[in-house]
Amino acid sequence: MTAPSPNKIVGEPVDRIDGQLKVTGGAHYPSDVGYPDMAHAVLVQSTIASGTIRAIDTADALAAPGVFAVITHENVPELVHEVMTPFGPSPRFPLKDNRIVHHGQHVAVVVAETLEEARAASRLVRVEYDETAAILDIDDPRAQVTTNPYEMDVERGDVEKALASADIVYDERFHTAPVTNNPLGPFAAVARWDDGRLLIHSSTQWPVMERHVLAGIFSLDESAVQVLVPYLGGGFGAGLRTWPHTVLTALAARILDRPVKLVVPRPQMFTSVGHRPETVQHLRIGATSDGRLVAIDHEGTSTTGAEESNLEPITVVTREAYDCPNLATHDRLVALNIPNPGAMRAPGHAEGSFALESAMDELSHRLGIDPLELRLRNFAEVNPQTRLPWSSNALRECYRVGAERFGWHHRNAEPGSLRDGEWLIGHGMAAVSYSWWATPCRATLSLGRDGGARLRAAATDIGTGTYTIAAQIVAELLGLEVDQVHVEIGDSALPLAPPSGGSGLAVAFGGAIEDAAAHLVRAFLDLVRDDDRSPLRGRDPDEVIATNGRLQLSDDPGVGESYTAILERHGKDELSAEGETDPTPKAEGMTMSPAGAFAAQFAEVRVHEELGLLKVTRLVAAVDAGRVLNEKTARSQVAGGMVMAIGMTQFEETAFDPATGRITNATFGDYLIPVSADIPDLDVVFVGEPDRYNPMGIKGIGEVGITCAPAAIANAVYHATGKRIRSLPITIEELL
Amino acid sequence: MGGASVVGRTTVTVQVNGQERRLELDSRVTLLDMLREHLELTGTKKGCDQGACGACTVLLDGRRVVSCLTLAAQCDGREVTTIEGLAPGGELHPLQEAFIRHDGFQCGFCTAGQIMSAVALLAEERAGSDAEIREFMSGNLCRCGAYPNIVAAIREIAQQGGGMP
Ligand code: FES
Ligand code: FES
């Protein structure tokens, strides 16, 4: 370890270092990649939800101008179908046989010289089906149900006994609609093969996992696969898995022996890269009349695709939320004939916390206790599940600062008490503790003769600001300017890194950079250990600080020299060092509970009395994000989650036709995501201290923004109208 | 020939970012695909190809259009400005700078469309208030939710007199 850094770069609202590229159109996303000689692929999808393909006629498509190949289950070469990942086996390969398990399943890929030709020919593929009854309803008794599917269910104390003796028992059910990630950048893959090696530009949030899956499927050594994604047009979880279209693009390129590009058109984005599943939840809460929670029982059911797996832990959010001695959480997974869901920003948590935090609000009204006060009375001083002290917890501060900024305590608590003409006004709040998830991370850091540093890791920046925060951390630790740091990410060939996902990348990557920087400083000192001409001869890292492009003694700043002077004298172009970290909490021997971000959000809504129109007019989020790495990008990230939460609460619903399983609103014209006019100014404020669990004190913040806003808004709707809406999205019909 | 129909070719001459380009194209090619696939101007993005997201917004004879719903053939003899043409010579347009300063993007995929739309918005003199900016920028989706920052960037330039050089 070097002495503490004197440089103040981490935390500063530095402009994104990739900003210039993004505002000039110079950032290259997977769908921008082209090669001479590249062919274009288009997917043909099933028009039934369940059954078998009786016949597939590709003759006309093959005869159409420009067409090179049509790949179907009848001519697909042998591949390995299941590769294990942290999210379960890789998604079901749709061409593995003639069976159809959901509407919109890929049944053929048409590859042609131009996109127009491929598209035209795709319409000429004729498929005949033998249809069987599809299972489409989450309550269908024929559906296969898995209980405790993630082995995350917990039980503490005796819930039934505590409920039986509680002063008040709350017992309600909730529903959340399926919604679709819809990153603005359509997912794309551009694949080419050279001497048995696969190079693929691909929309993924996890290049090394994509490499692992593709290597498995094509029976290759991992070193023979390279995945590139320097920029991604958003993902929100959709890029955490290797979806079949990516496999099919690589396959087409191998069959044709030329580069192939496939861009998933917007309507197919609804069926090809996952979505947030529908949930139904049942919450029972027992409390004393003075507002002490004595029991919580939370059951959450979500949907998954037939023959698929999905990780949607709905009730996890509940087990650590409040200090409640008796608690049981159970998840259930129901398999339907729908496109496989997948992760979408705060998977499980966004839905689970909507139910829990709506319930807390409802309970507070039944008890006649202010909703904020009820939460404070049940504040979890320690992790209520493990009883370990939190590595940090500023949730009280979130409550206090958020309430102050919002003006919470000035409201009249009576529902329906505030109005402005025909508009009813309501205030609501909700809170969350959002833990992060990450995997081991490595990084390589080098410093060259020009005085600049180069950081390399297979991390990604999906809009989260990874490029910028990584450069800031390096600059701070090595004593450089941000623009002296070159960050290379988005390439699976670089040192292993976790995904942009699970709010964990900053924690893991930050730790790896810190380790690499410490090693690099040591490498410089090792180089001058016996160097008579160096003022740093024989010095140890803990005596030295890095600042202004040089290393110097912390207690005698005049004694030191620049990196470039050392490199020049020793005839070296650069020095390099590796760093690594494993942030995964250990199963044994933990002395603290690694905390994620905490947040409290406060919403103001207006509901038109006669028309049922709902407008969110104010949203305040106070977030304990540990050590904020970049005030500007951090605020944007939380605000972005709040915008998506407004979508989930007010507009978004992936509509499955109950008879056919077809998604009836699979366009941006029909599936409504928030537009500028729907979004008020968003107030995001950070509170708290650096976290104690990881060396940089970081907590992930990619998902905390979406987790409590839906309940805060629904609670505000109740306060405005007296109507308790336990189902998302909140529609006009419910408010009329 | 099965069910395939014979497809026409078309020749277009179009000024793109001040340069005259002459292309012979499949007549089904949209302005968006012409820019991206034939002129390698990939700064303009395809978010939906259905006219519903604004990611493909460019200026056609100075007015904003969604290039995915504009056929290349319709642009014969006309002038197209894309994001790549906004900063000739490398000096950023004031709106581009403001987007960076206000963090008006995250993934950046909607950004070219947002900026081109904002350039037109200022020329249309429709950026008089936040409400107006919000309303007339609502054809440009941003799934990352950068809206408040986008509004702030446009507001700043509008208040400075519209960013006209
Ligand atoms: S791509 Fe043209 S509007 Fe979406
Ligand atoms: S910045 Fe990602 S869609 Fe706008």
Side-chain angles (χ1 to χ4, degrees), chain A residues 15-16 19-20 22-25 27-29 31-32 40 65 115-116 119-120 180-182 184-186 232-234 236 261 266-267 344 462-463 632-633 636 640 643-644 652 667-669 673-677 679-681, chain B residues 1-4 26 28-29 33 36-37 42-43 45-50 52-53 55 83-84 90 92 96 99-103 105-111 115 130 134-135 137-138 141 143-145 147-149 151 155:
Chain A
D15 290 345
R16 283 174 203 260
Q20 170 111 6
K22 284 179 177 173
V23 301
T24 55
H28 294 296
Y29 301 81
S31 57
D32 296 332
H40 295 260
L115 179 59
E116 290 77 16
R119 213 187 275 143
T180 298
N181 305 51
N182 272 316
L184 202 66
L232 181 61
F236 316 110
K261 175 174 187 168
R266 182 56 55 185
M344 181 168 166
I462 65 171
K632 188 179 284 194
T633 58
S636 294
V643 171
M644 204 172 261
E652 296 185 37
T667 68
F668 274 150
I673 73 169
V675 300
S676 194
I679 304 302
D681 275 330
Chain B
M1 279 292 290
D26 182 320
R28 295 168 296 192
V29 170
D33 287 334
R36 290 179 51 81
E37 305 292 337
T42 56
K45 300 298 186 223
K46 184 187 284 188
C48 69
D49 218 13
Q50 295 176 317
C53 77
I83 190 76
E84 291 92 344
L92 293 184
Q96 290 173 308
F99 265 65
I100 295 178
R101 232 176 4 257
H102 290 276
D103 213 29
F105 49 86
Q106 293 179 38
C107 78
F109 200 85
C110 71
T111 312
I115 292 176
D130 283 8
R134 287 195 171 109
E135 189 60 32
M137 287 299 290
S138 279
L141 300 183
R143 188 54 159 165
C144 296
Y147 298 125
N149 295 353
V151 172
R155 176 202 304 135

Side-chain angles (χ1 to χ4, degrees), chain A residues 313-437:
Chain A
I314 302 165
T315 62
V316 165
V317 70
T318 300
R319 70 182 180 203
E320 293 172 359
Y322 295 103
D323 184 17
C324 176
N326 306 291
L327 170 139
T329 64
H330 342 254
D331 277 305
R332 298 166 77 245
L333 200 53
V334 176
L336 302 180
N337 291 115
I338 55 169
N340 196 26
M344 181 168 166
R345 207 169 200 168
H349 291 60
E351 306 97 293
S353 84
F354 165 65
L356 177 66
E357 289 297 294
S358 296
M360 286 297 282
D361 193 73
E362 206 164 349
L363 188 62
S364 76
H365 285 278
R366 291 189 194 172
L367 288 165
I369 299 173
D370 179 84
L372 204 166
E373 175 58 28
L374 178 68
R375 287 171 173 87
L376 285 171
R377 284 188 199 174
N378 295 283
F379 183 77
E381 296 291 349
V382 296
N383 181 319
Q385 187 60 29
T386 62
R387 306 308 299 176
L388 290 171
W390 299 104
S391 56
S392 62
N393 184 340
L395 181 55
R396 281 182 196 283
E397 194 75 351
C398 296
Y399 287 134
R400 192 182 60 73
V401 173
E404 218 162 79
R405 287 176 90 97
F406 185 82
W408 177 258
H409 297 296
H410 306 305
R411 70 172 198 152
N412 179 340
E414 196 55 40
S417 59
L418 289 173
R419 69 158 63 224
D420 174 11
E422 290 168 329
W423 292 91
L424 302 169
I425 298 173
H427 294 165
M429 58 92 48
V432 76
S433 85
Y434 193 89
S435 55
W436 49 264
W437 170 86

